[in-house]
Amino acid sequence: MPPGTKLAQPTKVWDKCLADIKKEVGSKAFHLWFEPLQAIDIKDGRILVLQVPTEYFSDWIEQHYLPVLRKVLTRHLSPKAGLEYAIVKNGVGFHPASGTTNPPSLLDRIGCGQPVTPPQSIPAASTHLNPSLTFQNFVKGEANQMALQAAKEIARKGFHESFNPLFIYGPSGVGKTHLVHALGNELLRRHPKRRIYYVTAEEFSVQYIDAVIKHKNYPTFLRFYESLNVLIIDDIQTLMGKEKTQYTFFTIFDFLYQNRQQIIVTSDRRPTELQGMMDRLVSRFRIGLLAEIHRPDYEMRLGILRQKASEEGLDLPEEYYAYIAEHVEGNARALQGVLVSLLAHSMHLQQPITIDLVRSVIDRYRESTVKEVSIREIINVAAEYFNVDPEDILSSSRKQPVVRARQVAMYVVRNFTNIPLDRIGKEFGNKDHSTVIYACRKVNEMLKTDRRLKDIVDQIKKKVAD
């Protein structure tokens, strides 16, 4: 049989199917999920074999587009049409054995000894690590003790099965990003041959979209991530609600985990509070070590101030550090902000830093800033005032006390933070942003006549700010 003869018929059938599929699913879904597929065989005159990048790619298609596939295959192939998938292996398709639970090995998929070229959206030969963030300049204390010890243990071993994944969570500005960069840099120093890559979840989303739509190199994108020995992904909460990006990340996560490669994840909340995240991902995050980083206590704030002052070239009396640590109870970023402000005022006024200048800067700082709070904190306080369960606020319950608590919590979040509407909706159990707008308008109207409600809202704001 001449080369290509066998592929002509499946390709012709699949092209007809694709034309109909595009009309059914729309151009965006078509580009994401169907353009990467190739028809490579027809078995028994009725079973079309499609080549797919990964097993999870086929799972997604089956879960979301099976009725469409059945319809077009019945129309263009056979009334008894069937479908099989072949996973990419060394540039061609292969049929996984029945009952196989592990993905193909990395060497099988990319070829033994072949270099893995990053997709165009990812800089070549880059770990994305900041070399200035190390264990040496990371301020340790009771607030981060567990996370720091776990990170050092992973850095020492290169891989720690019990700490895989390492899921570090805590509010913004407490040092999560510094810690994972320090871990990556120490891994690179101790294990220079390991492929280590740091990426924010937001950057991962952009890379994924570029790979699928702009450059159309999804398999290359996938192979790059699956070639890693250590993946560090920061601020995973930004993937909430991004279903297709989550699915691709799940594919990568599962591959790396099953091939005993280290995964480190950071988040501003615990896994169970990641509203709009796939249940399978949430369960994966919980199988390793969960390490919380709390806001720094007084002693730790002193240490942060000394460290940051040294980095800024400042040498202040201890009483100045003590005063700042006592009056600024925020995170490391807030403390650094005060020091930078002190330095700027000193240079502008052309005078040395005095305790009076310290007091003045802190007074201005406290007047111009609002305590950084999480949506969860506001929900918990609102639930307490309305005597309902916080989880009910996140649910779809229409019970009057729950609805009122939910609306007030949304109102406080909207007026007390700079969080955008769509994210507020997602945090409240994947509600639409229009629900948030309605809640805010409703509470605003009620506040004009309901004095008791105004007192409750003021008390919630005060309690969250304290």
Side-chain angles (χ1 to χ4, degrees), residues 192-261:
K193 292 184 179 180
R194 306 214 74 186
R195 289 176 59 85
I196 303 165
Y197 188 66
Y198 165 90
V199 66
T200 66
E202 191 64 39
E203 289 169 338
F204 179 86
S205 297
V206 172
Q207 292 171 2
Y208 165 71
I209 293 168
D210 283 352
V212 173
I213 296 175
K214 186 176 179 181
H215 302 301
K216 292 183 170 55
N217 59 357
Y218 179 80
T220 306
F221 169 83
L222 206 59
R223 285 198 298 272
F224 168 77
Y225 273 99
E226 292 183 348
S227 74
L228 300 175
N229 303 120
V230 181
L231 171 60
I232 303 170
I233 186 159
D234 205 356
D235 289 330
I236 197 69
Q237 72 276 358
T238 61
L239 292 191
M240 292 189 303
K242 299 177 180 177
E243 192 175 7
K244 291 172 182 174
T245 310
Q246 286 179 37
Y247 201 88
T248 293
F249 179 68
F250 175 80
T251 300
I252 293 165
F253 184 106
D254 241 28
F255 182 90
L256 294 177
Y257 181 81
Q258 292 185 41
N259 283 280
R260 296 172 56 80
Q261 308 301 337

Side-chain angles (χ1 to χ4, degrees), residues 345-415:
H345 278 80
S346 175
M347 293 174 65
H348 176 71
L349 298 172
Q350 295 186 334
Q351 68 178 45
I353 296 174
T354 63
I355 191 64
D356 288 336
L357 182 58
V358 171
R359 292 192 181 103
S360 174
V361 166
I362 288 179
D363 287 344
R364 290 177 188 174
Y365 168 81
R366 297 176 75 179
E367 288 173 4
S368 63
T369 59
V370 178
K371 179 192 170 193
E372 183 181 348
V373 295
S374 72
I375 291 178
R376 189 70 193 205
E377 286 177 279
I378 294 172
I379 289 171
N380 289 341
V381 175
E384 182 182 334
Y385 272 91
F386 286 91
N387 196 28
V388 299
D389 191 316
E391 295 305 317
D392 287 341
I393 292 179
L394 300 177
S395 74
S396 56
S397 172
R398 302 304 301 167
K399 293 179 181 177
Q400 190 56 34
V402 175
V403 171
R404 187 55 45 80
R406 184 186 300 129
Q407 290 175 338
V408 168
M410 286 180 172
Y411 174 85
V412 174
V413 171
R414 180 63 175 154
N415 289 273

